[in-house]
Structures are given as C-alpha cells and as structure tokens.
Amino acid sequence: MADSNKEISEYVTLVSNDDFEFEVLRSAACISGTMRKAFDPASGFKETTQNRMKFENINGVILEKVCEYLYYNQKWADAKNVPDMEIPPELCLELLMTADFLNC
Amino acid sequence: MIAGRGKQRIRPPRRGLASSAVDFDSIWSLLETAFRQIHTSNASQLLYEELYRHAYQVVLKKKGEELYSSVSRFEHEWLSEDVRSEIYAHYSPQMLPHTQALTTSTATERRMAGEKFLKGLKEAWSHHQVCMSMIADVCIYMDRTYCNDNRLPSIYTTAMNLFRDDILQSPITTNDNRPVLHLLNQVILDQIQMERDGDVIDKHLIKSCVYMLESLSESGDESKADRLYNVSFEVDYLETSRAFYSREADAVLRDTDAGTYCKHAGRRIYEEEDRCRSTLAESTMPKIQQVVEDELVRNKIVEVVDMDSGVWFMLDNDRFEELSLLYNLNARVDDRKSVVTRAVQQRIVALGDDINKAALAASQSAPAAPGDAAEKSKPSAQTNQQTAAAIKWVEDVLALKDKFDMVWKESFQQDNMMQTAMTRSFADFINSTNFPRTSEYISLFIDENMKKGIKGKTEAEIDTVLDKAIILLRYVQDKDLFERYYKKHLCRRLLMNKSISNEVEKQMISKMKIELGNNFTTKLEAMFKDMTISEELTASFKKHVEGLGDKDPRRIELGINVLTSMTWPLETMGSMDEGEGKQSAVFPVAVDRIKQGFEKFYNLKHSGRQLKWLANMGSADIKAVFPKVAQKDGSFKERRHELNVSTYAMIILILFNDVPTDQHLTFEEIHARTNIPKADLIRNLQSLAVAPKTRILIKEPMTKDVKPTDKFFFNEGFNGKFVKIKVGVVSSGNKVESDRERRETEKKNDNSRAFCVEAAIVRIMKQRKELAHSQLVMETLSQVAAQFKPEVSMIKKRIDSLIEREYLERIEGAKVDSYRYLA
C-alpha cells in the first residue's frame, strides 16, 4: 500500500505485534472506536496518512479474531436472530481486554 | 462469553496487555512532547496507536486523575503563554473606534486593523479546536472512563473553557486591563457600524467569530442561555443598535418627509434581518427587530403619521406606495394598526365634514339672496340649487368613498380591520348630528336620477348608479327617515309620471330589499301595486262608461289613481293640512257627475270602501279657445290651446267660462265658489296669473302676492308659442325641504319611531315577562337598530308611557330597576 495515499482508501491495513498484516474494509475497521479515531481523515496522525495501523500489544491470532468480528459485526449490523460467533475459550480473556482497548 | 457486539465493557485483569508497572512521569513527558507537536502542527509523524496505548495504560493504572490535570495544566500554560502573545501580535490600537481621535487612522485603516485582529483570533480559535480534537482522540479512553465515572466535562470541553478563560476573558496584555472579549465585541460592533454606513465588510470573518462566541458558554455547561454570544456580545449589540437607531430616527425625521422616512425604516429593518442571517446569529433576529421597530417605528410612528407629509398628505396626494409602507411599518408593531387607522379615520371625517359644510353652504346661499323681482323664478332657482347641493353632496361622498376604497386596495392589503374602521368613519360623518339631511339627500339623489339622470344610459351604467346609492344607504343609521323621504319622493314620481322607467324603479326597490330587508320595502312595493291596480281600474271604468251607451262627445275622460291611505305618504303632500281638507272642493257640474259615476262604479266593485278625492294632487287636460282679439304682434285670429293644469286650476278656469270677458272675480268670490283651500288657491292663482308664460288670467293689481281683494279677469289676449301648454303649480317639484318642513318631517318621524320603540318594548316584555331596565334598553336598541338608532331618553319615555297605560309595572323592591309585563 502506498505510503502517502491522501485519498480516502477503501481498505486499511492492520498490523499485529508479530507482523501479521490484515487488509480490512475501512468501514469495518471503523466499527472500532479506537481505529475510527486513528483513521479519522480530520486528524493528522501518521496512521491517517499511511492507512496502516500497527498494534504493539496485539498478536496475530487475536487480531485475526478481531478482524473476523469486525466483518461479523458489519454483516449482521441490523439483523435479528444472529448466529453466535465462534470464540475459542482459550482466547476469551485476551479478546475481552482487546475489545476494551479497541472500544468495540 | 462473547465480548463485543454490545456496549457493555468487562474490565480486563491487571495483567496482559499492559506491562504491570507504569511510570506516569515518563509517559507524560512523552505525551507532552507529542501534544506540543500537535499544537505546532507537527503531528504527521506521530503514531496514534502509540499515544493512545500510553494514555490507555495510564488510565488503566488508575492514573486518570493525574493525566486529566496534567493535560489541563499543559493547555492552560500553552494558551496563556504562546497563544496569548500570538493574539497580541494581531492587536493594534487603531482598530478601536474611540482611539481614532488620538491617531490619524482613517476608517479603512481601522477596518483593516479590526479585520486583522478578528482574523488572528479566529485562526487561534480554529487551530485550538483542531488540536484539541486530536488530543481528545488520544485521551479518549480517559474521557470514556475517568471523566464519565467522575462526572467531569470531557477534556475537549475543558480545553475550550480554558480558551475562554485564558484568552477571551483575560486582559490583552499585562498592562492593558481590557479583556480580549471586550475588544472583540468592540471590533465587531465597529465593523457592523461601518456596514450600516455603507462600507463593505468581511461578513464571513465576523460570522466565524460569532460561531466561536456561540460555542462557548459563560459557566461551562452547555445550556444555550449563557452562551458568550448571548451574555456578552448580543447585549452590547442590542444596546449600541438602540442608541444608533434612536439617533438616526431623529436625524432622518428632521431632514426628510414621512414617505422617505418610511422607506428608510423599511430598508433598515430588512438590513438588520439580512445581517442576522449573513453576519450574526439567526437567534438575534427577533431581538434586533424588536430594537429597530422600537426605535424607528413604535417610538416614532405617531410623529410620522402626524407629520405635514404624513398620512393626510399621502392620502390627499394618492401616495399609495408610501401609504403602503407606512401601513406595513405600523403593522409590524401593532396588529391593529391603530395609529394609521386613526389618521385615516380622522381624514375621512375631516373630508366628510368639508363635504357636509359645502352642501350646507350651497343650500343656504340661495335663500340668503334677497330681491323681489321674478318671484316665480326665485323659488325654482332655489329649489334647483338645493337639489344640486344634495346631488353634489352625494357625488362628493361617493367620490370620497371611491378614493378610500382605492387606497384600501392599493395600500392597506385589503385589511379587514381597516375596512371596518373606514366604514365606521364614513358612517360617522354621514350620520353626523351637524348634518341632519343625509337621508333626504340620498333620496333626492335617487329621485333626480330616476327623473333625469338615467336617461340615455345603458343598463350597466344605471346599475352602478343605483349601487352607489345603496352603498351610501348602508351607512345611514336612520333608515326610517330615509324611507319616509323615499316614499314621499316616489309618490311624487309615480303620481306625476315623472319617473323615466318603471323597470328601474323596481330594480332599485329590489336592491333595497336585498340590502335592508323585506320590512323596509313592503310599503314601497304596495305603492307600485296601487298604481297597477289603478291603471286597470281606469281602463275598466272607461269600458263601463262606454258600455252605458250615452255617447256624449263632451264627456270627460277620467284617469284615476286609487291609493291606499296607509301606504302613501299623503300627509306629506299637504293634502291633510289644517283640517281644511275635510271640506272638499266644489267641482264643476260636469266633473262632479263623472266623479259620482266613478264612486258608484267603485262601490260596486269594492263595497264599504271610502273614496277621498285629493284634488290637490290631480291634473287635468282642458281645451281652451281664446277669441279673436288683437295681438301685440298684430295677428288676429282664434287660438286653441290644450292646457295641462292642476285639478284646482281646472276648477278655477271653468268658473271663468261663466264670467263675461269684462267681468271679474275677486279672490274671495273664487274661494267661496270653489271651496279650494286657501293656500292651494293662492298657489294656483299665482301660476295662472303671475307666471309670465302661462298668464291665462289677469290679476288686478298686478303684484306677486295674492290678496283677498284682488280681482281676476280672463286673459283673452293670451298667446302661447305651443299648442300644448303645461301650467306648473308653484313648488311642485321634489326639492330640499325648508327648515320648517324638515322639523315637521322629523317630528312625524319621531312619532312613528315612538310607536316602533313601544312595539319593540312590548314584544320583548311579552316574551321575558320580567326584565331589568338596562337589559330592556339594550334589547330594544338591538331590535330597532335595523331601522334607526333611538336615543336612550326616548326609550325611557316610552317605558314610562307604557307604565302609565298599564302595559308594564315596576317591580317593587328589586335591586336594579326592573319591569314586569302586565298581560
């Protein structure tokens, strides 16, 4: 992805602390309050200009689950009787803390 | 165990994501550096994730309070040191109006300086907003948890309030005590003043400063009431505007006329509206309008309306546009437009009074002219003048009405209230007690039109004339008086065949019926019915006489009008006067025979009816032969004339049939032999012997007055230009009444009113049985209102009279005066 893409790109890149990269839809990423602020075109942080955000405290496994959740959330946003998302119990606690961090 | 989806947050345990030990000071120094970079627009190399993570950890470690106060302190220091000095750089003493005297700055320089200051302030503000939103984004976790839990305003709000305290409300420099806010207000006001004076200013700049003031509030909570804009700027703005417009109103009033003033005021109001939209806040619009309206309109409207060039001038000169402006201004401050309405009303009454006075003057100037020459022509001239005055009056009033209708349409947006007021004013002067002749004049106007005016006019034109009369009639209060006059005039028209078209007469009556109701016209319609019946009667009598078979070539033809005595205003024709009418005139034998013949015939048809002959109202066609006598012009032959004379004149002339040419009859003799009432006799003799064109008799001595000892001869030498000669009887036309006559009419009218009032009282009491005095008066007034407006004293008198005659009695011991109906 280009470094200085001033256009509002459709996709953004999320990077875990073990350097896994996830390309997700901007609209899905912005479900997270933290990411929304980071990618907000009105503010002038580096994330905004690069459309890339690195998480120093989230590993690839968790970040993958987060991306899954973001799409899951987007897909079922207005639906009822939604099937539960599959969460491996061992990730539970970590996911919880990440959710608080990401505000989603 | 699903995290996410919902908003509920489950705190993670104190391990894992964050390293367990957090050193606040080192993290803060990192954040502070970053913030400083943000403030100096150097944020593009900062990683949001990193800053957020640090702030997140600090808050997570229960250090929220420390972070919050650190950020606040940082912002406070930043604003009061860096930003304030920056603002001061934009400040120059030139930009304030009151320092202008000291420096030599021109208005343009002042405007530029002001704009520079505004621009600096605006930029500082918007920059502060941008930076703070970034910092707030970094500290969002603190806002979410710490501020929420402790009910503190978000860091963004706090920083905005800091801007208010550290910039706006602190002095511009240490040795200048005026707060920045004060300067800001002054500059904006000054700029607005420049715009009022015609300069072009940067509206967007001011608008953004206004936005700033709008988004900050005095106390920090976000209620609208104490936004800085409202508590600080708006107050100043309204105050200075008030002072300005108050001064301006005086100046403009002094220098220009009312029309210009109205235009000016209208423009100012519009400008202020526009200014609120483009430069200031819309919420100020009603307030500033109030101020402008107060100063330019409410406080001045009376003055403007009463100016020399005010409403009167505009009305008189047809300044519809200015009137409309003035009306709109008045409407702004007063729903009822009372000031303009009052002026218009006064003008109507004043103009109306002028018309009244002119009519009175015109009608009185004639009798004032003395002179005994041409006795015959003088009264007729006077009649004409009076009638002319009446017609002029009606036409003037109609013209006035047309004019004000026009004004009403053009300038007053057909305002209902205005129309009512105008109608009331018209009614006021038309029914003015100084001018009692309205009813008579209107009736005369109709009379004149019926007799002459409508000749050669199309139906539509006639219609408008009639409608005009109806319009005036609408204003008349004393409809019964009008009815009396109209009946009298109609009676003359019908009996003397003066009316041009019966159709039009009927049209008029149907119009009155629509306007005034059935009651009003029944009698008038009955008069028409009598006329038709009489025609049939005459025809059938003629047939009857022919059927008798005696072909008498000298038979007299009889045309007859049988009038119902109740419906016809016969007393006003002078027939019942002085009790003399009872002894009817002695008719010549030939006439008397046919009279008896008709009575017999009539009695056959309608038994039990009594016929009373009204000779004073009839006329006769007689053929007269004047013998061969030498004429002045030398001709010498017999002349035949057909004379159309009144019935009395016919009787008199027939008397002379039996008198030899050289013999004479004295007045006394004629009176004794004819039994014609003296007054009528005198009039008829005057027209036969005095009027120059119809001098069929010769009077001795030849004077105008007829004295009992005067002698009358038959004028053998009479010579007329035409075969048919009409001998008019003095004072036969419809004319304005003399004062004496009018008093009589009024007296009669009062009598008939008395009956009306009594009837109304009895009707009411019959229904109510018992009623308090004041209520009775009210109801009586409303019952008779359609016909006339009685005096309260009259109603009282009638009540007393009814009590006397035991229709009513007073209720003893009642709290208020009350009456009971006695069946």
Side-chain angles (χ1 to χ4, degrees), chain A residues 34 37-38 43-47 53-57 69 72 84 92-93 96-98 100-101 103-104, chain B residues 1 3-5 9-10 12 15 17 43-49 52-53 56 134 137 140-141 144:
Chain A
T34 308
K37 297 286 184 196
S43 66
F45 292 107
K46 208 172 176 182
E47 279 91 345
M53 186 171 188
K54 177 154 188 188
F55 295 96
E56 294 292 351
N57 52 358
Y69 167 73
Y72 167 85
D84 282 351
C92 238
L93 218 54
L96 248 180
M97 292 191 292
T98 313
D100 186 60
F101 180 74
N103 189 18
C104 66
Chain B
M1 284 269 303
R5 284 217 76 229
R9 205 172 298 118
I10 301 169
R15 51 165 205 84
L17 280 168
S44 59
Q45 291 311 310
L46 294 172
L47 275 174
Y48 175 73
E49 193 269 348
Y52 173 73
R53 186 157 37 86
Y56 178 79
M134 289 171 78
D137 282 353
I140 190 149
Y141 194 72
R144 254 166 61 204

Side-chain angles (χ1 to χ4, degrees), chain B residues 279-332:
Chain B
T279 318
L280 303 175
E282 299 241 5
S283 61
T284 309
M285 206 189 287
K287 297 176 197 163
I288 186 70
Q289 268 181 357
Q290 172 82 18
V291 168
V292 184
E293 280 165 10
D294 273 354
E295 293 304 328
L296 290 186
V297 186
R298 193 167 288 126
N299 293 346
K300 296 284 183 256
I301 186 90
V302 178
E303 213 176 307
V304 172
V305 165
D306 293 342
M307 271 168 92
D308 285 342
S309 54
V311 168
W312 285 34
F313 173 82
M314 297 180 192
L315 286 175
D316 292 351
N317 293 289
D318 294 337
R319 298 283 176 87
F320 295 134
E321 203 180 316
E322 291 177 3
L323 269 177
S324 169
L325 282 170
L326 189 55
Y327 167 84
N328 284 333
L329 287 184
N330 199 193
R332 279 180 170 279

Side-chain angles (χ1 to χ4, degrees), chain B residues 330-482:
Chain B
N330 199 193
R332 279 180 170 279
V333 296
D334 179 7
D335 274 344
R336 309 212 332 270
K337 280 78 75 180
S338 50
V339 183
V340 173
T341 311
R342 178 183 52 82
V344 171
Q345 279 188 309
Q346 281 173 352
R347 191 68 195 143
I348 292 176
V349 172
L351 289 173
D353 279 346
D354 284 351
I355 295 176
N356 284 353
K357 267 181 217 136
L360 282 184
S363 64
Q364 271 160 9
S365 65
D372 47 2
E375 174 85 354
K376 172 78 172 70
S377 66
K378 200 187 96 181
S380 78
Q382 177 189 334
T383 307
N384 287 343
Q385 199 152 358
Q386 298 244 13
T387 314
I391 288 162
K392 184 163 176 349
W393 180 84
V394 171
E395 272 163 3
D396 285 351
V397 173
L398 285 174
L400 192 66
K401 163 92 179 137
D402 280 349
K403 179 187 168 73
F404 277 91
D405 274 352
M406 181 80 174
V407 171
W408 177 68
K409 237 178 252 153
E410 292 287 319
S411 305
F412 298 149
Q413 298 164 5
Q414 315 207 353
D415 182 74
N416 276 338
M417 230 156 346
M418 185 60 92
Q419 191 183 31
T420 324
M422 280 162 61
T423 308
R424 203 173 324 118
S425 301
F426 271 98
D428 273 356
F429 83 77
I430 286 175
N431 295 309
S432 153
T433 44
N434 301 327
F435 190 73
R437 296 197 163 184
T438 312
S439 307
E440 191 184 357
Y441 276 9
I442 296 174
S443 179
L444 262 180
F445 173 76
I446 300 172
D447 185 64
E448 187 66 18
N449 272 304
M450 288 294 182
K451 287 197 298 205
K452 293 174 200 152
I454 56 173
K455 205 179 269 174
K457 280 187 180 163
T458 66
E459 230 166 81
E461 281 171 332
I462 293 172
D463 224 41
T464 48
V465 170
L466 299 189
D467 280 340
K468 277 180 181 174
I470 292 287
I471 288 170
L472 283 185
L473 199 50
R474 221 172 273 161
Y475 291 126
V476 174
Q477 256 168 14
D478 300 335
K479 305 253 172 15
D480 58 340
L481 198 60
F482 172 78

Side-chain angles (χ1 to χ4, degrees), chain B residues 31 213 670 752 815:
Chain B
L31 285 176
L213 293 179
I670 296 174
S752 72
K815 270 182 216 151

Side-chain angles (χ1 to χ4, degrees), chain B residues 218-235:
Chain B
E218 183 93 289
S219 61
D221 59 13
E222 275 154 20
S223 70
K224 279 211 157 187
D226 64 347
R227 296 184 307 178
L228 275 186
Y229 175 77
N230 295 54
V231 292
S232 165
F233 175 73
E234 197 177 71
V235 178

Side-chain angles (χ1 to χ4, degrees), chain B residues 659-664 713:
Chain B
V659 177
T661 318
D662 52 343
Q663 294 291 302
H664 62 80
F713 297 87

